Amino acid sequence: MDPRTHRLQIATRIHFALLRELGSGIDVGLMLSRELYALDVLNVCRASENEELERLAEQFVHASLPRPLAVPPSTRPAARRGRAWWRTLGSALGPAALAAR
């Protein structure tokens, strides 16, 4: 699932859970675009002593973590040339490269 879609779903669930719990929801769009607003909402969820809100807060944090880009082996420069990665570094950092600086 796309991380942005997943974050939207969690934020919407937080909105409705807070609406039930406190009688007031959140601005979902603002939560997705403003880090400080999201942090405030997450702190309210954690402090609510409501298990659902606490779980949703942790899910939102987890969904917001940056994901490393998966690079297929065939697109890596060293794999394309059939050379080991340290040999590529060696040529870039070798004496000739240092002398050119």
Side-chain angles (χ1 to χ4, degrees):
M1 177 183 293
D2 178 37
R4 290 178 291 176
T5 303
H6 190 56
R7 290 177 72 232
L8 173 61
Q9 289 176 342
I10 297 168
T12 303
R13 290 176 61 195
I14 288 172
H15 166 74
F16 285 110
L18 283 171
L19 198 56
R20 282 191 310 272
E21 183 74 16
L22 303 176
S24 181
I26 61 164
D27 184 330
V28 173
L30 204 56
M31 184 171 182
L32 296 173
S33 63
R34 306 286 179 156
E35 188 175 324
L36 290 177
Y37 182 80
L39 188 58
D40 285 343
V41 171
L42 295 175
N43 286 334
V44 168
C45 291
R46 290 173 178 146
S48 70
E49 297 181 4
N50 178 307
E51 288 182 23
E52 179 187 13
L53 284 169
E54 291 175 15
R55 184 176 38 80
L56 288 171
E58 293 311 310
Q59 287 177 2
F60 188 85
V61 169
H62 182 71
S64 299
L65 294 175
R67 304 278 184 248
L69 296 175
V71 179
S74 62
T75 62
R76 291 188 315 215
R80 257 197 320 248
R81 291 190 299 267
R83 300 176 68 185
W85 64 271
W86 59 86
R87 290 185 184 160
T88 305
L89 280 178
S91 64
L93 300 175
L98 293 176
R101 290 184 182 190

